Structure formats: structure tokens, C-alpha cells
Amino acid sequence: MARYGSKSAPLDEDKLQDLAVSYVARFATTRAKLEDYLRRKVRERGWEPEGAAPVEEIAMKMVDAGYVDDLSYARAKSGSLLRRGYGPRRVSQALGMAGIDEGIADEVAPTEAEQRLSALSLVRRRGFGPFGENVKDPAKREKQLAAMQRAGHSLSLALALIDAPTTREAECWAAEALELG
């Protein structure tokens, strides 16, 4: 094993394969993130054989073996972000940054009910609208609306929750989408 300050030996296909297996064993990842990791390792350590490193081929082996599944990753990531109160725009951005293609991102896009429940989670946690102090301060309301939009929620959804007169009405509004959907 290389120590700090010493240079590791250049990679070959077997070593690159070992790095890929080690990476997918430690992290839930996407094909694109695995490829980026392998390319970075080739840049850092060099490539010994002639020609280009078979980064895409090794990543596809991991996909074919079931070690990497972009759809499962997208579902898990989307669900995690929604439970934390993020909206569909932020979910889409996170999936795009992870290299998830649009088709898969569209497949796991949150439903109206999921969007409402996510927004409700955010306003509860942050004490926005009826879940906070009953101060009718316009500047505070604007800040809360801006925070919800930064979290990826639409203005109409943010308004519905921030302007809800009571916590009960906000909860009923969010639950209404479950009944419709």
C-alpha cells in the first residue's frame, strides 16, 4: 500500500477493476459517478498499458453484475431528498449531478402528493407559516417563501402552506393530494 509522499504504481486493467469493485462495495453510486472516479484514479496514478483505460467497459461490467443500478440510486436519492423537505427542482438537480439520465429522472419524479408532503415536512421543520410564530410580518413571509423556492418548491405550493391559517388546514391540504392521487 502506498504511503503519503510515495507515488503509487501506474494502473493496469486488473488494478482498475479492483478499484471499481472496492468503490461500489463502499458507496451507492451511479455509472457516471463510477466512471468519473475511475478516470480520476487513472489521471492521478497513470495508465501503464498502451491505449486508453477501459473505464466505460469496467463501469458497464459493474452495471451488468448488478453492483451499480442508476434507477435504484435515483429512487433512493429522490426519496431521501423528499423526506428532508426538498422539492422537485432540487431533486432533479441532484439526480443530474449524479449523472442520472433524464428518462430515469422523469420516472422517479415526485407526484403531487409527494411534493405536498415534502413541502409540509419543510415548513414543519423550519417553523414556517402556521407552524411558526403567528407574526404577520411581510418581510418574514417573503424570506420563508424564498427559502421554500430555494429548496426546490414552486411558488404556488409555498404560498399554499405559508399562507395556511392553521396547522390543521396545512396538513389537510397536503393530505388532500393523497386522496386525489
Side-chain angles (χ1 to χ4, degrees):
M1 179 173 213
R3 296 191 190 269
Y4 294 112
S6 66
K7 184 163 171 66
S8 298
L11 295 170
D12 59 22
E13 190 166 349
D14 289 338
K15 290 176 188 171
L16 196 59
Q17 178 86 23
D18 290 346
L19 284 173
V21 169
S22 176
Y23 186 79
V24 300
R26 288 180 296 161
F27 304 106
T29 191
T30 64
R31 183 186 49 78
K33 287 173 72 172
L34 176 60
E35 288 178 4
D36 289 345
Y37 169 77
L38 295 175
R39 282 189 193 96
R40 181 171 48 88
K41 288 299 180 185
V42 168
R43 268 192 323 273
E44 289 172 357
R45 294 181 52 185
W47 183 248
E48 192 166 275
E50 292 293 317
V55 168
E56 292 84 8
E57 293 83 5
I58 290 174
M60 282 310 298
K61 283 181 188 177
M62 297 295 117
V63 169
D64 293 341
Y67 299 141
V68 175
D69 183 352
D70 284 2
L71 180 58
S72 293
Y73 178 92
R75 283 186 180 132
K77 185 71 169 177
S78 176
S80 171
L81 291 170
L82 289 169
R83 285 187 299 278
R84 290 173 39 206
Y86 289 103
R89 191 179 75 249
R90 285 288 296 271
V91 170
S92 178
Q93 288 172 345
L95 295 178
M97 290 181 69
I100 299 294
D101 71 37
E102 278 187 45
I104 292 175
D106 290 344
E107 188 174 332
V108 300
T111 64
E112 176 72 19
E114 290 170 327
Q115 291 177 41
R116 286 185 182 196
L117 292 172
S118 176
L120 180 64
S121 171
L122 180 66
V123 296
R124 273 187 185 142
R125 192 182 71 223
R126 300 279 307 267
F128 289 171
F131 294 93
E133 298 174 11
N134 287 333
V135 177
K136 298 292 181 189
D137 180 11
K140 187 175 186 177
R141 178 181 175 269
E142 291 301 316
K143 286 181 180 183
Q144 291 175 354
L145 289 171
M148 288 197 67
Q149 288 184 295
R150 282 191 306 275
H153 296 289
S154 68
L155 178 60
S156 62
L157 197 138
L159 285 168
L161 282 170
I162 301 261
D163 292 341
T166 66
T167 58
R168 175 90 173 119
E169 287 185 43
E171 291 166 346
C172 288
W173 173 83
E176 179 182 286
L178 292 173
E179 295 168 8
L180 298 174

